[in-house]
Amino acid sequence: MKRLLLLVIPIFIYADSLKELIDFAKTKNDLVVSKTLSEISKAKELEARESSYYPTLDVGAYYQRSDDRSPMQPGDTYSGFAKVGVDIYDGGKKSSLVNQAKSELKSATYEKGDMQKSVVLNIVQDFFTIKSLNDTLDAKNEAKKYLQAQLERVEKFYEADVATKDEVDRIQASYDTNIYEMESIKFQILSLKKSLELSVGKSVEDLDDSKFMIPSESGYELAENLKALIAQKEAVVSSARAIDSSYYPQIRVEDSYSLYEYDRTDASHPKGAENQNKLMLTFNMRLYDNGVMDKSKEAVMINSEALNSQISYKTKEQKMLFELANARIQTSQIKIQSATSAQKAANSAFKVIEEKYNVGIVDYVVYLDALTSKTVADALYKTSLNDLEVAYAMYYYYEGKNVEEYIQ
């Protein structure tokens, strides 16, 4: 029986670590899966474009019937043929389309990476916000125990005509308000857990303790969304080159071999050749189209300029957000120092005031104020520690790094 309990208990006390949640989300999150499928689609498009360099092979057949036969023409003709062809020169259209497909694949890969990093940051924020709310709930729960004990004590004093009704009511009001706030916090925790489960792609119960490495200057990298925009611009430029190729000569060679059979033949309508090999070289060049291709290229290049503006904005935005993330760390560290001092002072003051209240030196108003200060200070201290971890994650995110690689 004891062995069975030892096997069962870990199931109930298991807590998800931040890294485990992130690793699961990187393959199971629906938005990440969508971007992964888009990347696979672009890879297939690239394979199709690269295959266009190879010769084409076609086979076919036809049947022709002439009810009013012309002289020297059989009434029925059956034919089967095979044709192989290859483009000798296309003005660089195929290479431009291949380059376009490569850039689109790069963009899709970066977009998937950006989605993964965004999901990771959301998970980190929800993870530590839940932990902060749990810590606040713990502080409120501790305050509840103090209030409940004092309420029972004061009610006994009131029954013995030692305490007044307003003292009982005041402590009762503080007790009920604390319960109200606890229920509000529980709902916030539930809401954030649902949000976390949506991001991760599975149910989440308890959260383990997780921390980030302290950042060091390791080099600033472009964000994935910025890389995606740059790749999109490259794809647009390649598309413009493909349009340009329409004004260059198009040279193609084809060789076809056909087999023939005939019916309804006679001296005036003899059979034709039983087989035929035909080699054909074609040359085509567009001389005039009223500027269709020029205008199409112009539209594409305007789109390229639009992407340039987005790239410029996103570059400045990432730099700004990175600087703010660095400042957030410094602010969080200062807040921790203040919260530590406040917690120490509030707990010390509450201990003294509780003793004085129990012997009747101070009234219930002073006691409740001290308890409130202690509860707030305890919650702020834990919250400030969690805020620092979020600040570290945001620093790594806007530095262009993979956040999960810096979890201890």
Side-chain angles (χ1 to χ4, degrees), residues 334-401:
I334 295 172
K335 288 167 69 176
I336 288 174
Q337 295 175 5
S338 299
T340 303
S341 177
Q343 184 193 38
K344 183 178 179 180
N347 278 275
S348 176
F350 176 74
K351 184 177 180 181
V352 173
I353 290 172
E354 184 184 30
E355 293 174 354
K356 290 182 178 181
Y357 177 68
N358 288 336
V359 297
I361 297 177
V362 298
D363 63 11
Y364 63 89
V365 175
V366 176
Y367 173 80
L368 292 176
D369 286 343
L371 179 58
T372 300
S373 297
K374 175 188 178 328
T375 303
V376 171
D378 287 341
L380 284 179
Y381 172 70
K382 294 293 184 66
T383 299
S384 64
L385 294 177
N386 291 323
D387 286 347
L388 178 61
E389 299 303 323
V390 174
Y392 286 156
M394 296 182 74
Y395 178 91
Y396 291 124
Y397 177 80
Y398 291 116
E399 195 182 24
K401 301 296 174 57

Side-chain angles (χ1 to χ4, degrees), residues 214-375:
I214 298 175
S216 59
E217 294 185 7
S218 56
Y220 179 89
E221 298 178 9
L222 292 180
E224 300 293 312
N225 62 346
L226 186 51
K227 292 178 182 178
L229 285 174
I230 293 172
Q232 286 178 30
K233 181 192 170 185
E234 293 172 353
V236 168
V237 171
S238 295
S239 173
R241 290 180 183 143
I243 293 173
D244 259 347
S245 68
S246 300
Y247 290 118
Y248 289 87
Q250 313 289 314
I251 302 174
R252 181 175 176 83
V253 61
E254 291 182 343
D255 185 53
S256 59
Y257 182 77
S258 303
L259 296 174
Y260 301 96
E261 288 189 7
Y262 308 93
D263 277 335
R264 293 194 296 138
T265 60
D266 52 36
S268 299
H269 305 89
K271 294 181 178 181
E274 293 184 355
N275 56 73
Q276 179 70 266
N277 187 75
K278 181 170 66 175
L279 179 66
M280 183 167 60
L281 180 67
T282 59
F283 172 89
N284 181 68
M285 185 173 180
R286 180 168 297 180
L287 298 179
Y288 178 75
D289 64 1
N290 196 30
V292 171
M293 292 302 169
D294 283 336
K295 291 172 184 175
S296 297
K297 181 184 176 182
E298 185 179 354
V300 169
M301 295 310 296
I302 291 173
N303 189 25
S304 174
E305 290 301 315
L307 287 170
N308 263 339
S309 296
Q310 290 185 53
I311 291 169
S312 176
Y313 178 84
K314 289 293 183 181
T315 302
K316 296 173 185 175
E317 182 184 49
Q318 184 186 356
K319 183 180 179 182
M320 176 199 71
L321 292 173
F322 176 69
E323 291 172 352
L324 287 176
N326 194 25
R328 184 189 293 269
I329 292 175
Q330 299 174 21
T331 301
S332 296
Q333 290 170 338
I334 295 172
K335 288 167 69 176
I336 288 174
Q337 295 175 5
S338 299
T340 303
S341 177
Q343 184 193 38
K344 183 178 179 180
N347 278 275
S348 176
F350 176 74
K351 184 177 180 181
V352 173
I353 290 172
E354 184 184 30
E355 293 174 354
K356 290 182 178 181
Y357 177 68
N358 288 336
V359 297
I361 297 177
V362 298
D363 63 11
Y364 63 89
V365 175
V366 176
Y367 173 80
L368 292 176
D369 286 343
L371 179 58
T372 300
S373 297
K374 175 188 178 328
T375 303

Side-chain angles (χ1 to χ4, degrees), residues 38-39 41-47 49-50 94-112 224-242 300 304 307 311:
S38 295
E39 180 187 28
S41 173
K42 291 299 180 182
K44 293 298 181 182
E45 288 182 18
L46 175 59
E47 289 179 9
R49 295 281 174 83
E50 289 176 335
K94 285 187 177 66
S95 61
S96 296
L97 292 176
V98 167
N99 289 334
Q100 180 185 353
K102 286 180 179 178
S103 296
E104 289 175 348
L105 175 58
K106 281 170 56 180
S107 179
T109 302
Y110 289 136
E111 285 179 356
K112 184 186 77 171
E224 300 293 312
N225 62 346
L226 186 51
K227 292 178 182 178
L229 285 174
I230 293 172
Q232 286 178 30
K233 181 192 170 185
E234 293 172 353
V236 168
V237 171
S238 295
S239 173
R241 290 180 183 143
V300 169
S304 174
L307 287 170
I311 291 169

